[in-house]
Every structure is written in C-alpha cells, then in structure tokens.
Amino acid sequence: MKLAIDALIEGIERMGNPTAVGLDTQLAHLPEGFAGKVESFADAADALLRYNKALVDALCGIVPCAKVQIAYYEMYGWQGVKALHDTIAYAQEKGMFVITDG
C-alpha cells in the first residue's frame, strides 16, 4: 500500500527540491492584476483562487509541495472555503502534494 508521504518523497526526488510553496494567500498582498475590485466574499475568494492557480502553474514543475493555511480562506465564509477546496484540487491535478495547515 502506497502512503501519502511516499508521493511527497517521490516528488522531492523527482524535482530534486525539498521545498513547499506556502499558499497562505492574503488579499491585501495580491498583485494589482489579481485583486481588482473586491466588494464581497465571492470576489475575494475568486481573487485568491486565480492567484493561487497562477502560482501553482508557475511552480508545479519546480516545487513538489504546496501548503495552504486554512484561516486565510475561512475568513471569506463558505466562498473562501470553496476557494480553499478548489486550490487544493488544482494543485493536486498539477501533481503537487498538498499539506493543509489548520
């Protein structure tokens, strides 16, 4: 039986890189092109997800692991939790091992 940690170890060995990217995404720190006009939790969650996808796309071939801090998503209600879910799913689709910090 293959354990989850085996996938992380395989990714580290394949990429020669033992690091993780922290997707502890804060709306206030997003580049201008991602945040736009945020008027609701849904807008905030959309901005977080778009930014996270861009980071995952840029790093999935370099960094084997992503770590998400749940609190940065929960503050935007169910929309933020959905952005967390979608971020995790996207990173996994791109072959990254995901650690949740909550």
Side-chain angles (χ1 to χ4, degrees):
M1 181 172 91
K2 186 174 180 178
L3 301 174
I5 193 68
D6 293 330
L8 175 58
I9 292 168
E10 289 171 5
I12 291 169
E13 290 173 346
R14 184 176 64 255
M15 294 180 193
N17 185 352
T19 61
V21 59
L23 298 177
D24 304 339
T25 312
Q26 296 181 43
L27 192 60
H29 296 147
L30 294 186
E32 187 176 313
F34 289 96
K37 190 171 184 180
V38 175
E39 297 180 341
S40 67
F41 283 174
D43 293 342
D46 179 63
L48 296 178
L49 181 60
R50 285 186 295 108
Y51 183 67
N52 288 340
K53 283 183 172 183
L55 284 176
V56 168
D57 287 343
L59 297 172
C60 66
I62 302 167
V63 178
C65 181
K67 194 268 311 167
V68 292
Q69 169 52 260
I70 293 170
Y72 287 106
Y73 302 87
E74 290 177 327
M75 70 175 76
Y76 298 110
W78 68 265
Q79 297 96 330
V81 174
K82 183 174 183 324
L84 170 70
H85 171 272
D86 293 348
T87 293
I88 292 169
Y90 191 75
Q92 289 174 332
E93 288 171 16
K94 295 292 188 166
M96 297 180 88
F97 185 83
V98 180
I99 298 168
T100 54
D101 181 1

